[in-house]
Amino acid sequence: FFRCLFAVALWQALRAWSATGRMPLPASGAPTSLSQVWALAAVEGSEQQGSKPRQPLRVVLTGGPCGGKSTASSILKKSLKAKGYAVSFAPEIFTLLLNGGCRYPGYDGGQPLVEFQTALIKLQVQMEDTFFQIAAISDSPSVVIFHRGLFDIKAYLPPEAWSSVLTASGVDEAHLNTRYDLVLHLVTAADGAEEFYTTANNVARRETPEEARAVDSSIRRSWASHANVVVLDNSTSFQAKCQRCVDAIARQLGAQA
């Protein structure tokens, strides 16, 4: 009996407190036990203590074939984790599709190519959004690294097909640019480090060195409208190239701090 009286009294006190606007509570449905009182108080307290969600840094690793993206990812993960960041990596959708048995219609594939790339872009948007949303709830500051971004699709399409894909996907280039904070373009080894160029470590890589250089240039043009692209060429050792990736992200994190 006394516990119920105390519960009601506590409820009334909390209701009175809510009248000041500091803790809004339901207008009806008074609790009949202490456990209900504390449960309601806990809900309201958690709402009061809620803070603005952290915004993860969104980084794209792009560039021509055999530019070192996979190896750079491992180095970035180790470096960022050592500094206290939660790091997640979104895989390359095109490679996932090919590994799953999907057939690429080819650059001159016409309407089947448009449909293939439209399906790809929709899947990639969903994947990127999912990685970002999960990273945003981390207790630690987060970095999400995308193995290629949406503008990479443009490099593998005729201009008119790219316009059709954007229309079918319901997006435009201005929107795509807002999805990434930093773009790291790792130049293909076929441009400046030819002796290290290989197709042996990626089932989706079939380009000759000459073709790889052409793809690299096309990808760079595709990202030209983004305001924050860092090009990492092969003028240094590969280890130094990866360190430049680390340094670029560190600068971006400092700018957003």
Side-chain angles (χ1 to χ4, degrees), residues 81-156:
K81 283 197 167 185
K83 293 177 173 62
Y85 289 93
V87 188
S88 54
F89 292 88
E92 181 184 4
I93 292 295
F94 183 71
T95 299
L96 288 178
L97 293 177
L98 291 190
N99 288 343
C102 296
R103 293 187 61 187
Y104 175 59
Y107 186 84
D108 297 319
Q111 185 59 29
L113 174 63
V114 171
E115 293 178 8
F116 179 95
Q117 297 288 29
T118 299
L120 189 155
I121 201 171
K122 290 179 179 179
L123 178 58
Q124 184 158 340
V125 165
Q126 179 61 56
M127 181 195 68
E128 289 181 359
D129 288 347
T130 299
F131 269 81
F132 181 78
Q133 290 168 11
I134 292 174
I137 62 176
S138 172
D139 292 333
S140 303
S142 301
V143 178
V144 182
I145 298 177
F146 302 108
H147 193 150
R148 297 199 178 280
L150 292 164
F151 273 109
D152 282 80
I153 299 171
K154 181 180 181 180
Y156 294 88

XYZ file of all heavy atoms in Angstrom, residues 81-156:
594
model
N 42.721 2.905 -36.618
C 42.358 2.221 -35.374
C 43.334 2.551 -34.260
O 42.938 2.683 -33.089
C 42.285 0.720 -35.598
C 41.009 0.268 -36.305
C 40.775 -1.221 -36.144
C 39.362 -1.595 -36.578
N 39.068 -3.016 -36.322
N 44.608 2.704 -34.599
C 45.612 3.056 -33.598
C 45.358 4.439 -33.012
O 45.762 4.729 -31.881
C 47.004 2.997 -34.216
N 44.647 5.280 -33.772
C 44.320 6.635 -33.306
C 42.947 6.704 -32.651
O 42.469 7.784 -32.318
C 44.402 7.612 -34.478
C 45.815 7.804 -35.023
C 45.806 8.729 -36.229
C 47.220 9.075 -36.677
N 47.983 7.897 -37.112
N 42.295 5.557 -32.484
C 41.017 5.516 -31.774
C 39.790 5.621 -32.637
O 38.676 5.779 -32.117
N 39.930 5.515 -33.948
C 38.778 5.613 -34.832
C 38.191 4.224 -35.101
O 38.921 3.237 -35.217
C 39.168 6.251 -36.165
C 39.472 7.722 -36.055
C 40.774 8.166 -35.842
C 38.458 8.670 -36.142
C 41.064 9.515 -35.721
C 38.733 10.025 -36.023
C 40.032 10.443 -35.812
O 40.307 11.783 -35.695
N 36.870 4.186 -35.212
C 36.193 2.987 -35.701
C 36.211 3.065 -37.223
O 35.830 4.083 -37.804
C 34.764 2.927 -35.186
N 36.667 2.005 -37.875
C 36.843 2.025 -39.324
C 36.032 0.904 -39.959
O 36.076 -0.240 -39.504
C 38.331 1.853 -39.712
C 38.506 2.069 -41.205
C 39.211 2.816 -38.923
N 35.276 1.241 -40.994
C 34.545 0.219 -41.744
C 34.826 0.400 -43.226
O 35.105 1.511 -43.690
C 33.037 0.301 -41.463
O 32.545 1.606 -41.695
N 34.765 -0.712 -43.955
C 35.091 -0.717 -45.375
C 33.926 -1.283 -46.174
O 33.512 -2.417 -45.949
C 36.343 -1.555 -45.638
C 37.606 -0.958 -45.075
C 37.992 -1.246 -43.773
C 38.397 -0.106 -45.831
C 39.147 -0.697 -43.239
C 39.541 0.448 -45.306
C 39.930 0.149 -44.005
N 33.425 -0.494 -47.100
C 32.361 -0.955 -47.991
C 33.012 -1.524 -49.250
O 33.808 -0.852 -49.902
C 31.432 0.203 -48.350
N 32.697 -2.762 -49.615
C 33.370 -3.401 -50.753
C 32.923 -2.829 -52.088
O 31.931 -2.103 -52.192
C 32.948 -4.870 -50.610
C 31.613 -4.806 -49.940
C 31.704 -3.656 -48.980
N 33.657 -3.177 -53.124
C 33.332 -2.744 -54.479
C 32.179 -3.588 -55.017
O 32.278 -4.812 -55.121
C 34.553 -2.888 -55.392
C 34.293 -2.436 -56.814
C 35.491 -2.671 -57.723
O 36.495 -3.242 -57.264
O 35.392 -2.298 -58.909
N 31.086 -2.939 -55.351
C 29.887 -3.639 -55.777
C 30.101 -4.372 -57.103
O 29.638 -5.510 -57.283
C 28.712 -2.656 -55.902
C 28.301 -2.146 -54.515
C 27.518 -3.317 -56.584
C 27.753 -3.226 -53.604
N 30.802 -3.754 -58.039
C 30.995 -4.375 -59.351
C 31.683 -5.736 -59.209
O 31.266 -6.726 -59.834
C 31.824 -3.457 -60.249
C 32.022 -3.983 -61.644
C 30.969 -4.032 -62.544
C 33.267 -4.440 -62.050
C 31.150 -4.528 -63.831
C 33.457 -4.935 -63.338
C 32.399 -4.975 -64.230
N 32.714 -5.805 -58.386
C 33.414 -7.078 -58.178
C 32.501 -8.096 -57.505
O 32.517 -9.288 -57.854
C 34.681 -6.863 -57.334
O 35.556 -5.963 -58.032
C 35.408 -8.165 -57.088
N 31.686 -7.653 -56.549
C 30.747 -8.561 -55.893
C 29.776 -9.171 -56.904
O 29.476 -10.368 -56.855
C 29.970 -7.820 -54.803
C 30.716 -7.439 -53.526
C 29.784 -6.672 -52.593
C 31.249 -8.675 -52.827
N 29.291 -8.337 -57.813
C 28.351 -8.823 -58.810
C 29.001 -9.849 -59.742
O 28.421 -10.895 -60.048
C 27.788 -7.658 -59.622
C 26.887 -6.671 -58.862
C 26.463 -5.523 -59.770
C 25.663 -7.375 -58.291
N 30.224 -9.547 -60.187
C 30.907 -10.488 -61.078
C 31.221 -11.797 -60.357
O 31.048 -12.883 -60.924
C 32.193 -9.855 -61.622
C 32.040 -8.696 -62.607
C 33.387 -8.362 -63.222
C 31.031 -9.015 -63.702
N 31.672 -11.684 -59.116
C 31.964 -12.898 -58.349
C 30.709 -13.725 -58.101
O 30.775 -14.943 -57.914
C 32.616 -12.541 -57.016
C 34.043 -12.057 -57.185
O 34.666 -12.272 -58.228
N 34.568 -11.394 -56.165
N 29.567 -13.052 -58.107
C 28.297 -13.752 -57.898
C 27.710 -14.334 -59.163
O 26.618 -14.917 -59.126
N 28.409 -14.156 -60.278
C 27.944 -14.747 -61.521
C 27.218 -13.809 -62.458
O 26.755 -14.232 -63.537
N 27.086 -12.526 -62.100
C 26.410 -11.566 -62.986
C 27.281 -11.287 -64.212
O 28.510 -11.213 -64.109
C 26.129 -10.267 -62.240
S 24.988 -10.447 -60.861
N 26.646 -11.111 -65.349
C 27.362 -10.861 -66.596
C 27.331 -9.369 -66.925
O 26.265 -8.746 -66.982
C 26.750 -11.660 -67.746
C 26.923 -13.163 -67.617
C 26.445 -13.870 -68.864
N 27.207 -13.440 -70.039
C 26.911 -13.803 -71.297
N 25.861 -14.581 -71.527
N 27.651 -13.381 -72.305
N 28.512 -8.808 -67.151
C 28.638 -7.402 -67.523
C 28.415 -7.270 -69.028
O 29.095 -7.932 -69.821
C 30.023 -6.899 -67.133
C 30.333 -5.492 -67.564
C 29.536 -4.430 -67.143
C 31.430 -5.215 -68.385
C 29.822 -3.129 -67.534
C 31.731 -3.928 -68.770
C 30.930 -2.883 -68.345
O 31.206 -1.599 -68.726
N 27.456 -6.431 -69.466
C 27.132 -6.339 -70.895
C 28.234 -5.727 -71.760
O 28.188 -5.850 -72.982
C 25.873 -5.448 -70.914
C 25.319 -5.540 -69.528
C 26.520 -5.669 -68.639
N 29.188 -5.030 -71.127
C 30.244 -4.400 -71.903
C 29.961 -2.934 -72.181
O 28.820 -2.472 -72.111
N 31.021 -2.190 -72.504
C 30.909 -0.742 -72.701
C 29.901 -0.387 -73.790
O 29.217 0.625 -73.708
C 32.280 -0.159 -73.049
C 32.322 1.338 -73.137
C 32.489 2.123 -71.992
C 32.199 1.987 -74.369
C 32.524 3.508 -72.068
C 32.239 3.371 -74.457
C 32.396 4.127 -73.305
O 32.436 5.498 -73.378
N 29.808 -1.225 -74.805
C 28.876 -0.974 -75.904
C 27.622 -1.839 -75.775
O 27.011 -2.227 -76.780
C 29.565 -1.265 -77.251
C 30.751 -0.338 -77.504
O 30.630 0.859 -77.203
O 31.799 -0.832 -77.982
N 27.229 -2.098 -74.548
C 26.113 -3.017 -74.294
C 24.735 -2.443 -74.492
O 23.742 -3.166 -74.332
N 24.633 -1.150 -74.823
C 23.325 -0.556 -75.104
C 22.406 -0.558 -73.885
O 22.836 -0.321 -72.756
N 21.138 -0.857 -74.106
C 20.156 -0.830 -73.026
C 20.454 -1.831 -71.922
O 20.269 -1.502 -70.740
C 18.750 -1.074 -73.592
C 17.624 -0.936 -72.561
C 17.584 0.439 -71.909
O 17.984 1.443 -72.516
N 17.117 0.499 -70.665
N 20.919 -3.050 -72.228
C 21.305 -3.965 -71.134
C 22.381 -3.359 -70.228
O 22.361 -3.582 -69.010
C 21.818 -5.200 -71.874
C 21.061 -5.202 -73.151
C 20.948 -3.752 -73.534
N 23.306 -2.586 -70.799
C 24.333 -1.924 -69.983
C 23.696 -0.887 -69.061
O 24.049 -0.796 -67.877
C 25.363 -1.252 -70.885
C 26.427 -0.403 -70.171
C 27.283 -1.271 -69.251
C 27.295 0.335 -71.193
N 22.744 -0.107 -69.589
C 22.053 0.890 -68.763
C 21.322 0.212 -67.613
O 21.389 0.657 -66.460
C 21.062 1.712 -69.620
C 20.175 2.589 -68.728
C 21.823 2.576 -70.619
N 20.653 -0.895 -67.898
C 19.915 -1.602 -66.849
C 20.863 -2.221 -65.825
O 20.584 -2.204 -64.617
C 19.027 -2.669 -67.493
C 17.914 -2.074 -68.341
C 17.060 -3.134 -69.014
O 17.239 -4.333 -68.704
O 16.206 -2.764 -69.855
N 21.987 -2.753 -66.285
C 22.980 -3.326 -65.376
C 23.506 -2.260 -64.422
O 23.546 -2.441 -63.202
C 24.134 -3.930 -66.182
C 25.237 -4.528 -65.352
C 25.262 -5.886 -65.063
C 26.272 -3.735 -64.857
C 26.285 -6.447 -64.296
C 27.291 -4.268 -64.089
C 27.302 -5.636 -63.804
N 23.913 -1.113 -64.971
C 24.501 -0.057 -64.148
C 23.456 0.641 -63.276
O 23.783 1.119 -62.193
C 25.215 0.970 -65.036
C 26.398 0.404 -65.824
C 27.612 0.097 -64.955
O 27.493 -0.209 -63.767
N 28.791 0.161 -65.542
N 22.215 0.692 -63.724
C 21.151 1.246 -62.877
C 20.933 0.363 -61.663
O 20.795 0.853 -60.534
C 19.841 1.376 -63.677
O 20.045 2.258 -64.782
C 18.733 1.934 -62.794
N 20.914 -0.948 -61.881
C 20.789 -1.873 -60.752
C 21.985 -1.752 -59.819
O 21.840 -1.777 -58.592
C 20.665 -3.305 -61.265
N 23.173 -1.580 -60.404
C 24.392 -1.452 -59.597
C 24.337 -0.195 -58.733
O 24.660 -0.234 -57.537
C 25.609 -1.427 -60.522
C 27.001 -1.514 -59.878
C 28.006 -2.085 -60.885
C 27.499 -0.173 -59.378
N 23.952 0.926 -59.325
C 23.954 2.182 -58.579
C 22.939 2.155 -57.437
O 23.199 2.662 -56.341
C 23.711 3.388 -59.528
C 24.209 4.684 -58.886
C 22.248 3.548 -59.880
C 24.190 5.869 -59.845
N 21.797 1.514 -57.659
C 20.798 1.412 -56.600
C 21.311 0.544 -55.453
O 21.126 0.869 -54.267
C 19.492 0.856 -57.154
C 18.755 1.828 -58.073
C 17.472 1.220 -58.622
C 16.732 2.224 -59.511
N 15.487 1.640 -60.087
N 21.970 -0.546 -55.793
C 22.537 -1.414 -54.766
C 23.651 -0.706 -54.004
O 23.746 -0.802 -52.778
C 23.075 -2.697 -55.410
C 23.754 -3.707 -54.472
C 22.806 -4.155 -53.363
C 24.257 -4.904 -55.267
N 24.475 0.047 -54.730
C 25.585 0.739 -54.072
C 25.091 1.843 -53.149
O 25.633 2.036 -52.053
C 26.547 1.305 -55.107
C 27.780 1.966 -54.483
C 28.941 2.050 -55.437
O 29.006 1.319 -56.425
N 29.864 2.954 -55.157
N 24.065 2.574 -53.562
C 23.492 3.621 -52.694
C 22.982 3.006 -51.397
O 23.232 3.530 -50.301
C 22.363 4.368 -53.437
C 21.523 5.185 -52.461
C 22.943 5.274 -54.507
N 22.269 1.891 -51.511
C 21.749 1.233 -50.317
C 22.878 0.760 -49.412
O 22.830 0.923 -48.190
C 20.877 0.042 -50.719
C 20.296 -0.732 -49.540
C 19.406 0.127 -48.668
O 18.447 0.718 -49.153
N 19.705 0.220 -47.383
N 23.914 0.182 -50.006
C 25.040 -0.300 -49.210
C 25.752 0.854 -48.516
O 26.065 0.787 -47.318
C 26.028 -1.058 -50.091
C 27.215 -1.617 -49.309
S 28.581 -2.118 -50.374
C 29.140 -0.509 -50.990
N 26.013 1.935 -49.240
C 26.698 3.078 -48.649
C 25.886 3.672 -47.502
O 26.436 3.996 -46.436
C 26.949 4.144 -49.717
C 28.002 3.766 -50.735
C 28.233 4.852 -51.768
O 27.552 5.909 -51.699
O 29.092 4.662 -52.641
N 24.586 3.820 -47.713
C 23.734 4.370 -46.661
C 23.744 3.476 -45.419
O 23.760 3.969 -44.287
C 22.299 4.528 -47.171
C 22.159 5.658 -48.174
O 23.094 6.468 -48.286
O 21.113 5.719 -48.852
N 23.742 2.166 -45.634
C 23.753 1.239 -44.505
C 25.056 1.343 -43.715
O 25.040 1.417 -42.480
C 23.562 -0.203 -45.008
O 22.287 -0.306 -45.663
C 23.601 -1.198 -43.849
N 26.182 1.371 -44.410
C 27.465 1.515 -43.731
C 27.524 2.827 -42.953
O 28.005 2.880 -41.820
C 28.618 1.454 -44.741
C 29.158 0.074 -44.972
C 28.514 -0.805 -45.826
C 30.308 -0.363 -44.328
C 28.999 -2.088 -46.048
C 30.808 -1.633 -44.542
C 30.157 -2.508 -45.398
N 27.022 3.892 -43.569
C 27.063 5.201 -42.911
C 26.178 5.225 -41.666
O 26.583 5.728 -40.605
C 26.613 6.284 -43.891
C 26.651 7.676 -43.313
C 27.849 8.362 -43.187
C 25.496 8.300 -42.877
C 27.891 9.637 -42.650
C 25.520 9.567 -42.338
C 26.731 10.245 -42.230
N 24.978 4.673 -41.761
C 24.055 4.674 -40.626
C 24.609 3.864 -39.457
O 24.489 4.267 -38.295
C 22.702 4.125 -41.061
C 21.940 5.063 -41.988
C 20.744 4.385 -42.643
O 20.341 3.287 -42.272
N 20.182 5.036 -43.649
N 25.220 2.731 -39.759
C 25.789 1.911 -38.684
C 26.997 2.598 -38.074
O 27.182 2.598 -36.848
C 26.145 0.515 -39.222
C 24.860 -0.247 -39.577
C 26.959 -0.276 -38.199
C 25.089 -1.577 -40.244
N 27.827 3.216 -38.904
C 28.995 3.930 -38.377
C 28.573 5.094 -37.483
O 29.254 5.425 -36.510
C 29.865 4.431 -39.527
N 27.447 5.715 -37.802
C 26.994 6.890 -37.050
C 26.591 6.568 -35.618
O 26.535 7.457 -34.771
C 25.828 7.556 -37.780
N 26.288 5.298 -35.319
C 25.883 4.952 -33.959
C 27.051 4.422 -33.128
O 26.858 4.011 -31.989
C 24.745 3.914 -33.964
C 25.201 2.604 -34.610
C 23.510 4.466 -34.659
C 24.140 1.500 -34.568
N 28.246 4.463 -33.685
C 29.423 3.991 -32.955
C 29.743 4.916 -31.794
O 29.518 6.131 -31.848
C 30.632 3.922 -33.895
O 31.812 3.642 -33.175
N 30.261 4.346 -30.718
C 30.693 5.148 -29.574
C 31.974 5.916 -29.877
O 32.312 6.873 -29.170
C 30.921 4.249 -28.357
C 29.630 3.642 -27.828
O 28.567 4.269 -28.033
O 29.679 2.560 -27.226
N 32.691 5.498 -30.892
C 33.950 6.150 -31.264
C 33.754 6.970 -32.537
O 32.856 6.697 -33.328
C 35.042 5.095 -31.522
O 35.225 4.265 -30.391
N 34.589 7.984 -32.752
C 34.542 8.676 -34.036
C 34.833 7.673 -35.148
O 35.664 6.782 -34.995
C 35.639 9.736 -33.926
C 36.534 9.252 -32.827
C 35.660 8.506 -31.874
N 34.134 7.812 -36.267
C 34.162 6.770 -37.289
C 34.614 7.288 -38.643
O 34.400 8.447 -38.998
C 32.774 6.139 -37.436
O 32.339 5.570 -36.222
N 35.220 6.375 -39.381
C 35.591 6.624 -40.768
C 35.038 5.472 -41.600
O 35.260 4.306 -41.278
C 37.119 6.712 -40.951
C 37.465 6.919 -42.432
C 37.705 7.838 -40.101
N 34.295 5.805 -42.661
C 33.800 4.796 -43.587
C 34.565 4.961 -44.896
O 34.600 6.050 -45.475
C 32.293 4.941 -43.852
C 31.818 3.832 -44.782
C 31.513 4.912 -42.554
N 35.195 3.880 -45.345
C 35.979 3.911 -46.571
C 35.269 3.070 -47.625
O 35.004 1.881 -47.421
C 37.405 3.398 -46.325
C 38.110 4.321 -45.310
C 38.195 3.348 -47.636
C 39.499 3.874 -44.926
N 34.959 3.706 -48.734
C 34.264 3.034 -49.829
C 35.269 2.634 -50.905
O 36.017 3.475 -51.411
C 33.204 3.954 -50.449
C 32.175 4.445 -49.471
C 32.173 5.760 -49.042
C 31.212 3.582 -48.978
C 31.227 6.215 -48.140
C 30.257 4.032 -48.080
C 30.266 5.342 -47.651
N 35.278 1.340 -51.225
C 36.128 0.863 -52.317
C 35.421 1.191 -53.621
O 34.579 0.430 -54.088
C 36.365 -0.639 -52.168
C 37.457 -1.150 -53.058
N 38.237 -2.212 -52.732
C 37.895 -0.737 -54.272
C 39.104 -2.447 -53.701
N 38.898 -1.560 -54.650
N 35.740 2.317 -54.165
C 35.098 2.963 -55.311
C 33.795 3.627 -54.885
O 33.142 3.197 -53.941
C 34.858 2.007 -56.473
C 36.144 1.431 -57.061
C 35.926 0.878 -58.454
N 37.163 0.364 -59.028
C 38.109 1.115 -59.591
N 37.938 2.424 -59.661
N 39.207 0.578 -60.085
N 33.464 4.704 -55.589
C 32.236 5.440 -55.310
C 31.353 5.485 -56.538
O 31.656 4.901 -57.594
N 30.266 6.209 -56.438
C 29.261 6.199 -57.499
C 29.745 6.820 -58.804
O 29.303 6.433 -59.882
C 27.998 6.904 -57.003
C 27.256 6.145 -55.890
C 26.259 7.056 -55.183
C 26.550 4.927 -56.473
N 30.667 7.772 -58.723
C 31.166 8.372 -59.958
C 32.064 7.425 -60.747
O 32.327 7.667 -61.931
C 31.914 9.678 -59.665
C 31.023 10.884 -59.604
C 30.763 11.503 -58.397
C 30.436 11.405 -60.744
C 29.938 12.611 -58.321
C 29.611 12.514 -60.690
C 29.359 13.119 -59.474
N 32.538 6.362 -60.117
C 33.319 5.379 -60.867
C 32.478 4.738 -61.967
O 32.998 4.352 -63.021
C 33.842 4.299 -59.913
C 35.042 4.771 -59.119
O 34.852 5.491 -58.134
O 36.169 4.419 -59.496
N 31.175 4.616 -61.715
C 30.284 4.025 -62.714
C 30.311 4.842 -64.000
O 30.280 4.291 -65.110
C 28.855 3.934 -62.143
C 28.843 3.033 -60.902
C 27.868 3.445 -63.192
C 27.525 3.046 -60.147
N 30.404 6.149 -63.859
C 30.408 7.037 -65.022
C 31.562 6.722 -65.960
O 31.435 6.836 -67.189
C 30.498 8.493 -64.536
C 30.494 9.529 -65.637
C 30.587 10.945 -65.050
C 30.567 11.997 -66.145
N 30.656 13.380 -65.569
N 32.703 6.307 -65.401
C 33.894 6.048 -66.209
C 33.730 4.842 -67.123
O 34.481 4.686 -68.093
C 35.103 5.850 -65.298
N 32.770 3.992 -66.823
C 32.577 2.765 -67.599
C 31.329 2.827 -68.469
O 30.799 1.795 -68.873
C 32.489 1.569 -66.645
C 33.783 1.294 -65.917
C 34.070 1.920 -64.702
C 34.734 0.420 -66.447
C 35.262 1.679 -64.035
C 35.928 0.174 -65.785
C 36.184 0.807 -64.585
O 37.382 0.575 -63.926
